[in-house]
Amino acid sequence: MSIHRLLANEDVLHILFDQFRLQPPVSFDILYTPNELQDSPRMLKRTLVNAACTCSSFADPASRVLWSVMDGLSPLLRLLPSFKQSTHSTVPPHQGIGGTQNDSDYVLDGDVSEADWTRFEHVAGRVRCLLYDPYVSLDRTVVDALVARYGRNRGLGSLLPNLQFLVWPESNDDDRQRILGLLCSDALQYVVIPDYQSGDYQYPGQKDLLTIADHAPNVRHFRADLSNIPLGVDSPLLRFAALRSLKFPLGSTMDEVIFTYVSKLPYLAVLDLSGVVLPNPTAAYAEHPVMKRNTFPSLRKLLIPGEGYRPALHLDTLSRISSTSMEALWLTVHVALKSELIQFVATLCSLDAMQSLRYLYLSVDAPYMEYEGLEMSSIVFADIAQPLLKLRFVEDFSLSSTFPYAIDVTDEDVGQLSSGWPRLTRISLRATDRPPATRPSLGALIVFAERCPHLKDLGIEAANITEADVTKLEARVATASYRPCAALEEFALDRADGSNPIDLDLLDDHEFDRLARVMHRVFPSLREEDAFGWGIRIYQEPHPFAYTDESEYRPAARGLFRLLEKLLALKAQSSEA
């Protein structure tokens, strides 16, 4: 196909310019924070403008993507010739959502012709995402003209008829409230109410919620601090019956009444309670009433990481889930005794709602106020392996612990994991503050990776490697029929915090070469990592010593540096061949 025929193909051009997407995808899997939404990439916008001005064939597809995300209404309103900046602005320069903003009071000076409105509406129909700038002030002349044109009784539809994603500051006056009513439509799916000063969320006003509920009944995803919303039969929260995902921000209070209302939402699939604070978890659990089982009927993902709670409160929450489609669970649990964790895991894995889990992330730590009385302890993975392996569909599993717990894993443990979870794509077992007393051999981890053909990330700390280990591994991979672990991209040979690294100093130079060749044969797809310049990433997380050769971690990990160099050389040779 010639280049001229290619440029004449509108479908190809639309696919091409979609790669410059500025709009965040609307999905219940996405849990954005306000800071992730406030700045649209300036370079992408500049590229789209240049493309539209370079070739007439590019003009329409490039401008379609360019106008899909708006940092405020003023760029769109400038299409109206009578929309002008006021010479008597009351707003000083400030740091807005798109960078430093200058005077930003706008008025409508003169009438707007039908031709001007037609041009405006042509472009307005392309807007899919609006990040409303709270610092831009629109004079009442502007608001009145928009209401006169697009008010509900006019029959012309919404100001932005295809708007799906709205980031909206709390309305601080009636005019902004009227604008919100013009922006809401049946197409709106995602609403975020941020606090632009703190970068978190803020309380939506009662009027704002009522406006959104009245004008956009199909909103599916809500990010706001809802802890101050009045509850009762007339609560605006109950009017969002189509909600698929709900995220409470840091510092929100989830009392029993709010929890009950949320649990009754029929289509709620994702609930993020990462920032929720319960003043007294133990007391709250004791006061919980017995609830009917028909709660959270459609829940698929639940996140309760945050500061963590005692097992009893978690189990009370999880036992209320009646959904049969749960896919993912994130929990941080406080345990004062190892026996508490064993009992918690056994009960958790016996719940009906947990049987369909594919992603399970558990973080274990000690109650903060009880640190002083706790003894150093190890979580023996074998003690919790059996109930965990009853969850037959797990693909991604993480168990992490902080002071005072370590995580001890043996060769037998990883053998059980590969038999019970053959669908694994990722696994991580690590303690951030204490090294384990027992670690599986490199040979056992290689067998584990071989038995899990979809495994991409292996984050289990390996034991020290000896010459005997290298000999065994060479014999295993020497046959021509050996099938390498081609899916594996990341392999954590040692601890992510750099402490107590795997000891490779027992090997001489020749043995080092043999080990490197074995690992290159077994794991040919270890991912390249450009951020730190090491080429091959063999750690679950970047090592602290990766930042500088002078790091204090380098002497303790000199064996790993040598192994990295040899793996890099072998990878380069394979690429050249």
Side-chain angles (χ1 to χ4, degrees), residues 388-411:
L388 284 171
L389 292 175
K390 291 179 181 178
L391 307 179
R392 296 176 297 132
F393 302 106
V394 171
E395 299 174 12
D396 190 337
F397 177 73
S398 173
L399 175 64
S400 63
S401 66
T402 59
F403 180 87
Y405 300 111
I407 301 176
D408 291 346
V409 185
T410 65
D411 287 4

PDB file of all heavy atoms in Angstrom, residues 388-411:
ATOM      1  N   LEU A 388      -4.543 -22.083  52.171  1.00  0.00           N
ATOM      2  CA  LEU A 388      -4.373 -21.219  51.001  1.00  0.00           C
ATOM      3  C   LEU A 388      -4.561 -21.999  49.704  1.00  0.00           C
ATOM      4  O   LEU A 388      -5.186 -21.508  48.751  1.00  0.00           O
ATOM      5  CB  LEU A 388      -2.988 -20.573  51.024  1.00  0.00           C
ATOM      6  CG  LEU A 388      -2.777 -19.419  51.998  1.00  0.00           C
ATOM      7  CD1 LEU A 388      -1.307 -19.030  52.060  1.00  0.00           C
ATOM      8  CD2 LEU A 388      -3.626 -18.208  51.611  1.00  0.00           C
ATOM      9  N   LEU A 389      -4.035 -23.207  49.661  1.00  0.00           N
ATOM     10  CA  LEU A 389      -4.099 -23.991  48.430  1.00  0.00           C
ATOM     11  C   LEU A 389      -5.501 -24.494  48.127  1.00  0.00           C
ATOM     12  O   LEU A 389      -5.745 -25.025  47.035  1.00  0.00           O
ATOM     13  CB  LEU A 389      -3.124 -25.159  48.512  1.00  0.00           C
ATOM     14  CG  LEU A 389      -1.640 -24.763  48.510  1.00  0.00           C
ATOM     15  CD1 LEU A 389      -0.757 -25.973  48.716  1.00  0.00           C
ATOM     16  CD2 LEU A 389      -1.268 -24.046  47.222  1.00  0.00           C
ATOM     17  N   LYS A 390      -6.434 -24.313  49.060  1.00  0.00           N
ATOM     18  CA  LYS A 390      -7.834 -24.637  48.771  1.00  0.00           C
ATOM     19  C   LYS A 390      -8.450 -23.623  47.803  1.00  0.00           C
ATOM     20  O   LYS A 390      -9.481 -23.898  47.191  1.00  0.00           O
ATOM     21  CB  LYS A 390      -8.636 -24.675  50.074  1.00  0.00           C
ATOM     22  CG  LYS A 390      -8.273 -25.835  50.984  1.00  0.00           C
ATOM     23  CD  LYS A 390      -9.096 -25.804  52.267  1.00  0.00           C
ATOM     24  CE  LYS A 390      -8.702 -26.953  53.190  1.00  0.00           C
ATOM     25  NZ  LYS A 390      -9.464 -26.913  54.473  1.00  0.00           N
ATOM     26  N   LEU A 391      -7.816 -22.451  47.696  1.00  0.00           N
ATOM     27  CA  LEU A 391      -8.264 -21.436  46.729  1.00  0.00           C
ATOM     28  C   LEU A 391      -7.637 -21.809  45.385  1.00  0.00           C
ATOM     29  O   LEU A 391      -6.543 -21.367  45.039  1.00  0.00           O
ATOM     30  CB  LEU A 391      -7.837 -20.039  47.190  1.00  0.00           C
ATOM     31  CG  LEU A 391      -8.249 -19.665  48.625  1.00  0.00           C
ATOM     32  CD1 LEU A 391      -7.745 -18.280  48.975  1.00  0.00           C
ATOM     33  CD2 LEU A 391      -9.762 -19.736  48.787  1.00  0.00           C
ATOM     34  N   ARG A 392      -8.328 -22.572  44.600  1.00  0.00           N
ATOM     35  CA  ARG A 392      -7.732 -23.271  43.453  1.00  0.00           C
ATOM     36  C   ARG A 392      -7.440 -22.378  42.253  1.00  0.00           C
ATOM     37  O   ARG A 392      -6.714 -22.784  41.351  1.00  0.00           O
ATOM     38  CB  ARG A 392      -8.653 -24.419  43.018  1.00  0.00           C
ATOM     39  CG  ARG A 392      -8.814 -25.508  44.076  1.00  0.00           C
ATOM     40  CD  ARG A 392      -9.798 -26.568  43.644  1.00  0.00           C
ATOM     41  NE  ARG A 392     -11.144 -26.010  43.479  1.00  0.00           N
ATOM     42  CZ  ARG A 392     -11.910 -26.222  42.432  1.00  0.00           C
ATOM     43  NH1 ARG A 392     -11.463 -26.952  41.427  1.00  0.00           N
ATOM     44  NH2 ARG A 392     -13.114 -25.712  42.365  1.00  0.00           N
ATOM     45  N   PHE A 393      -8.014 -21.176  42.219  1.00  0.00           N
ATOM     46  CA  PHE A 393      -7.905 -20.358  41.008  1.00  0.00           C
ATOM     47  C   PHE A 393      -6.890 -19.218  41.142  1.00  0.00           C
ATOM     48  O   PHE A 393      -6.825 -18.338  40.288  1.00  0.00           O
ATOM     49  CB  PHE A 393      -9.267 -19.777  40.646  1.00  0.00           C
ATOM     50  CG  PHE A 393     -10.322 -20.826  40.423  1.00  0.00           C
ATOM     51  CD1 PHE A 393     -11.312 -21.048  41.364  1.00  0.00           C
ATOM     52  CD2 PHE A 393     -10.304 -21.610  39.284  1.00  0.00           C
ATOM     53  CE1 PHE A 393     -12.286 -22.022  41.164  1.00  0.00           C
ATOM     54  CE2 PHE A 393     -11.263 -22.584  39.070  1.00  0.00           C
ATOM     55  CZ  PHE A 393     -12.258 -22.794  40.023  1.00  0.00           C
ATOM     56  N   VAL A 394      -6.090 -19.223  42.191  1.00  0.00           N
ATOM     57  CA  VAL A 394      -5.153 -18.116  42.442  1.00  0.00           C
ATOM     58  C   VAL A 394      -4.107 -18.041  41.331  1.00  0.00           C
ATOM     59  O   VAL A 394      -3.481 -19.046  40.975  1.00  0.00           O
ATOM     60  CB  VAL A 394      -4.467 -18.283  43.813  1.00  0.00           C
ATOM     61  CG1 VAL A 394      -3.337 -17.267  43.970  1.00  0.00           C
ATOM     62  CG2 VAL A 394      -5.494 -18.113  44.932  1.00  0.00           C
ATOM     63  N   GLU A 395      -3.935 -16.826  40.787  1.00  0.00           N
ATOM     64  CA  GLU A 395      -2.936 -16.567  39.747  1.00  0.00           C
ATOM     65  C   GLU A 395      -1.851 -15.612  40.232  1.00  0.00           C
ATOM     66  O   GLU A 395      -0.754 -15.591  39.672  1.00  0.00           O
ATOM     67  CB  GLU A 395      -3.605 -15.959  38.511  1.00  0.00           C
ATOM     68  CG  GLU A 395      -4.650 -16.838  37.862  1.00  0.00           C
ATOM     69  CD  GLU A 395      -5.360 -16.126  36.738  1.00  0.00           C
ATOM     70  OE1 GLU A 395      -4.889 -15.044  36.314  1.00  0.00           O
ATOM     71  OE2 GLU A 395      -6.400 -16.630  36.272  1.00  0.00           O
ATOM     72  N   ASP A 396      -2.171 -14.803  41.214  1.00  0.00           N
ATOM     73  CA  ASP A 396      -1.237 -13.777  41.693  1.00  0.00           C
ATOM     74  C   ASP A 396      -1.340 -13.753  43.215  1.00  0.00           C
ATOM     75  O   ASP A 396      -2.401 -13.459  43.771  1.00  0.00           O
ATOM     76  CB  ASP A 396      -1.609 -12.420  41.086  1.00  0.00           C
ATOM     77  CG  ASP A 396      -0.547 -11.358  41.343  1.00  0.00           C
ATOM     78  OD1 ASP A 396       0.219 -11.500  42.304  1.00  0.00           O
ATOM     79  OD2 ASP A 396      -0.505 -10.363  40.592  1.00  0.00           O
ATOM     80  N   PHE A 397      -0.240 -14.064  43.893  1.00  0.00           N
ATOM     81  CA  PHE A 397      -0.270 -14.146  45.359  1.00  0.00           C
ATOM     82  C   PHE A 397       0.906 -13.401  45.950  1.00  0.00           C
ATOM     83  O   PHE A 397       2.040 -13.516  45.471  1.00  0.00           O
ATOM     84  CB  PHE A 397      -0.234 -15.602  45.814  1.00  0.00           C
ATOM     85  CG  PHE A 397      -0.182 -15.759  47.311  1.00  0.00           C
ATOM     86  CD1 PHE A 397      -1.309 -15.498  48.086  1.00  0.00           C
ATOM     87  CD2 PHE A 397       0.984 -16.146  47.950  1.00  0.00           C
ATOM     88  CE1 PHE A 397      -1.261 -15.629  49.466  1.00  0.00           C
ATOM     89  CE2 PHE A 397       1.041 -16.285  49.320  1.00  0.00           C
ATOM     90  CZ  PHE A 397      -0.091 -16.030  50.085  1.00  0.00           C
ATOM     91  N   SER A 398       0.613 -12.645  47.004  1.00  0.00           N
ATOM     92  CA  SER A 398       1.673 -11.932  47.716  1.00  0.00           C
ATOM     93  C   SER A 398       1.429 -12.045  49.211  1.00  0.00           C
ATOM     94  O   SER A 398       0.315 -11.800  49.688  1.00  0.00           O
ATOM     95  CB  SER A 398       1.698 -10.456  47.296  1.00  0.00           C
ATOM     96  OG  SER A 398       2.612  -9.730  48.107  1.00  0.00           O
ATOM     97  N   LEU A 399       2.462 -12.425  49.933  1.00  0.00           N
ATOM     98  CA  LEU A 399       2.448 -12.422  51.398  1.00  0.00           C
ATOM     99  C   LEU A 399       3.661 -11.639  51.860  1.00  0.00           C
ATOM    100  O   LEU A 399       4.800 -12.019  51.573  1.00  0.00           O
ATOM    101  CB  LEU A 399       2.491 -13.854  51.945  1.00  0.00           C
ATOM    102  CG  LEU A 399       2.602 -13.976  53.476  1.00  0.00           C
ATOM    103  CD1 LEU A 399       1.362 -13.409  54.149  1.00  0.00           C
ATOM    104  CD2 LEU A 399       2.820 -15.436  53.894  1.00  0.00           C
ATOM    105  N   SER A 400       3.414 -10.538  52.535  1.00  0.00           N
ATOM    106  CA  SER A 400       4.510  -9.720  53.049  1.00  0.00           C
ATOM    107  C   SER A 400       4.329  -9.517  54.538  1.00  0.00           C
ATOM    108  O   SER A 400       3.219  -9.617  55.067  1.00  0.00           O
ATOM    109  CB  SER A 400       4.554  -8.368  52.325  1.00  0.00           C
ATOM    110  OG  SER A 400       3.361  -7.636  52.564  1.00  0.00           O
ATOM    111  N   SER A 401       5.420  -9.239  55.220  1.00  0.00           N
ATOM    112  CA  SER A 401       5.343  -9.019  56.659  1.00  0.00           C
ATOM    113  C   SER A 401       6.345  -7.951  57.067  1.00  0.00           C
ATOM    114  O   SER A 401       7.363  -7.738  56.400  1.00  0.00           O
ATOM    115  CB  SER A 401       5.614 -10.313  57.430  1.00  0.00           C
ATOM    116  OG  SER A 401       6.956 -10.731  57.237  1.00  0.00           O
ATOM    117  N   THR A 402       6.037  -7.292  58.155  1.00  0.00           N
ATOM    118  CA  THR A 402       6.948  -6.311  58.733  1.00  0.00           C
ATOM    119  C   THR A 402       7.283  -6.753  60.159  1.00  0.00           C
ATOM    120  O   THR A 402       6.855  -7.815  60.610  1.00  0.00           O
ATOM    121  CB  THR A 402       6.322  -4.914  58.738  1.00  0.00           C
ATOM    122  OG1 THR A 402       5.092  -4.952  59.491  1.00  0.00           O
ATOM    123  CG2 THR A 402       6.013  -4.442  57.332  1.00  0.00           C
ATOM    124  N   PHE A 403       8.047  -5.929  60.848  1.00  0.00           N
ATOM    125  CA  PHE A 403       8.477  -6.250  62.215  1.00  0.00           C
ATOM    126  C   PHE A 403       7.285  -6.713  63.047  1.00  0.00           C
ATOM    127  O   PHE A 403       6.224  -6.103  62.996  1.00  0.00           O
ATOM    128  CB  PHE A 403       9.097  -4.980  62.832  1.00  0.00           C
ATOM    129  CG  PHE A 403       9.581  -5.178  64.238  1.00  0.00           C
ATOM    130  CD1 PHE A 403      10.854  -5.648  64.454  1.00  0.00           C
ATOM    131  CD2 PHE A 403       8.764  -4.906  65.321  1.00  0.00           C
ATOM    132  CE1 PHE A 403      11.307  -5.837  65.754  1.00  0.00           C
ATOM    133  CE2 PHE A 403       9.209  -5.092  66.616  1.00  0.00           C
ATOM    134  CZ  PHE A 403      10.488  -5.561  66.832  1.00  0.00           C
ATOM    135  N   PRO A 404       7.444  -7.800  63.827  1.00  0.00           N
ATOM    136  CA  PRO A 404       8.668  -8.568  64.103  1.00  0.00           C
ATOM    137  C   PRO A 404       8.712  -9.892  63.342  1.00  0.00           C
ATOM    138  O   PRO A 404       9.392 -10.813  63.762  1.00  0.00           O
ATOM    139  CB  PRO A 404       8.539  -8.814  65.600  1.00  0.00           C
ATOM    140  CG  PRO A 404       7.069  -9.062  65.782  1.00  0.00           C
ATOM    141  CD  PRO A 404       6.370  -8.164  64.781  1.00  0.00           C
ATOM    142  N   TYR A 405       7.974 -10.004  62.226  1.00  0.00           N
ATOM    143  CA  TYR A 405       7.794 -11.306  61.583  1.00  0.00           C
ATOM    144  C   TYR A 405       8.702 -11.488  60.368  1.00  0.00           C
ATOM    145  O   TYR A 405       8.842 -10.597  59.538  1.00  0.00           O
ATOM    146  CB  TYR A 405       6.339 -11.477  61.151  1.00  0.00           C
ATOM    147  CG  TYR A 405       5.360 -11.403  62.292  1.00  0.00           C
ATOM    148  CD1 TYR A 405       4.491 -10.318  62.415  1.00  0.00           C
ATOM    149  CD2 TYR A 405       5.311 -12.398  63.253  1.00  0.00           C
ATOM    150  CE1 TYR A 405       3.599 -10.231  63.479  1.00  0.00           C
ATOM    151  CE2 TYR A 405       4.417 -12.331  64.311  1.00  0.00           C
ATOM    152  CZ  TYR A 405       3.566 -11.241  64.422  1.00  0.00           C
ATOM    153  OH  TYR A 405       2.688 -11.170  65.471  1.00  0.00           O
ATOM    154  N   ALA A 406       9.305 -12.676  60.278  1.00  0.00           N
ATOM    155  CA  ALA A 406       9.981 -13.128  59.064  1.00  0.00           C
ATOM    156  C   ALA A 406       9.089 -14.185  58.410  1.00  0.00           C
ATOM    157  O   ALA A 406       8.098 -14.626  58.990  1.00  0.00           O
ATOM    158  CB  ALA A 406      11.353 -13.702  59.398  1.00  0.00           C
ATOM    159  N   ILE A 407       9.423 -14.583  57.190  1.00  0.00           N
ATOM    160  CA  ILE A 407       8.649 -15.616  56.488  1.00  0.00           C
ATOM    161  C   ILE A 407       9.607 -16.733  56.083  1.00  0.00           C
ATOM    162  O   ILE A 407      10.495 -16.524  55.254  1.00  0.00           O
ATOM    163  CB  ILE A 407       7.942 -15.047  55.248  1.00  0.00           C
ATOM    164  CG1 ILE A 407       6.994 -13.914  55.638  1.00  0.00           C
ATOM    165  CG2 ILE A 407       7.165 -16.149  54.526  1.00  0.00           C
ATOM    166  CD1 ILE A 407       6.322 -13.244  54.457  1.00  0.00           C
ATOM    167  N   ASP A 408       9.438 -17.910  56.686  1.00  0.00           N
ATOM    168  CA  ASP A 408      10.297 -19.058  56.406  1.00  0.00           C
ATOM    169  C   ASP A 408       9.657 -19.947  55.349  1.00  0.00           C
ATOM    170  O   ASP A 408       8.501 -20.363  55.485  1.00  0.00           O
ATOM    171  CB  ASP A 408      10.533 -19.871  57.683  1.00  0.00           C
ATOM    172  CG  ASP A 408      11.390 -19.116  58.700  1.00  0.00           C
ATOM    173  OD1 ASP A 408      12.010 -18.106  58.299  1.00  0.00           O
ATOM    174  OD2 ASP A 408      11.435 -19.530  59.868  1.00  0.00           O
ATOM    175  N   VAL A 409      10.427 -20.249  54.286  1.00  0.00           N
ATOM    176  CA  VAL A 409       9.934 -21.063  53.176  1.00  0.00           C
ATOM    177  C   VAL A 409      10.949 -22.161  52.895  1.00  0.00           C
ATOM    178  O   VAL A 409      12.165 -21.910  52.896  1.00  0.00           O
ATOM    179  CB  VAL A 409       9.712 -20.210  51.914  1.00  0.00           C
ATOM    180  CG1 VAL A 409       9.077 -21.038  50.814  1.00  0.00           C
ATOM    181  CG2 VAL A 409       8.863 -18.988  52.223  1.00  0.00           C
ATOM    182  N   THR A 410      10.473 -23.363  52.623  1.00  0.00           N
ATOM    183  CA  THR A 410      11.344 -24.499  52.334  1.00  0.00           C
ATOM    184  C   THR A 410      11.127 -25.000  50.911  1.00  0.00           C
ATOM    185  O   THR A 410      10.204 -24.574  50.211  1.00  0.00           O
ATOM    186  CB  THR A 410      11.058 -25.654  53.312  1.00  0.00           C
ATOM    187  OG1 THR A 410       9.719 -26.142  53.081  1.00  0.00           O
ATOM    188  CG2 THR A 410      11.175 -25.186  54.760  1.00  0.00           C
ATOM    189  N   ASP A 411      11.974 -25.941  50.493  1.00  0.00           N
ATOM    190  CA  ASP A 411      11.816 -26.564  49.173  1.00  0.00           C
ATOM    191  C   ASP A 411      10.464 -27.265  49.065  1.00  0.00           C
ATOM    192  O   ASP A 411       9.804 -27.227  48.014  1.00  0.00           O
ATOM    193  CB  ASP A 411      12.927 -27.588  48.933  1.00  0.00           C
ATOM    194  CG  ASP A 411      14.274 -26.935  48.668  1.00  0.00           C
ATOM    195  OD1 ASP A 411      14.347 -25.688  48.753  1.00  0.00           O
ATOM    196  OD2 ASP A 411      15.243 -27.653  48.379  1.00  0.00           O
TER     197      ASP A 411
END
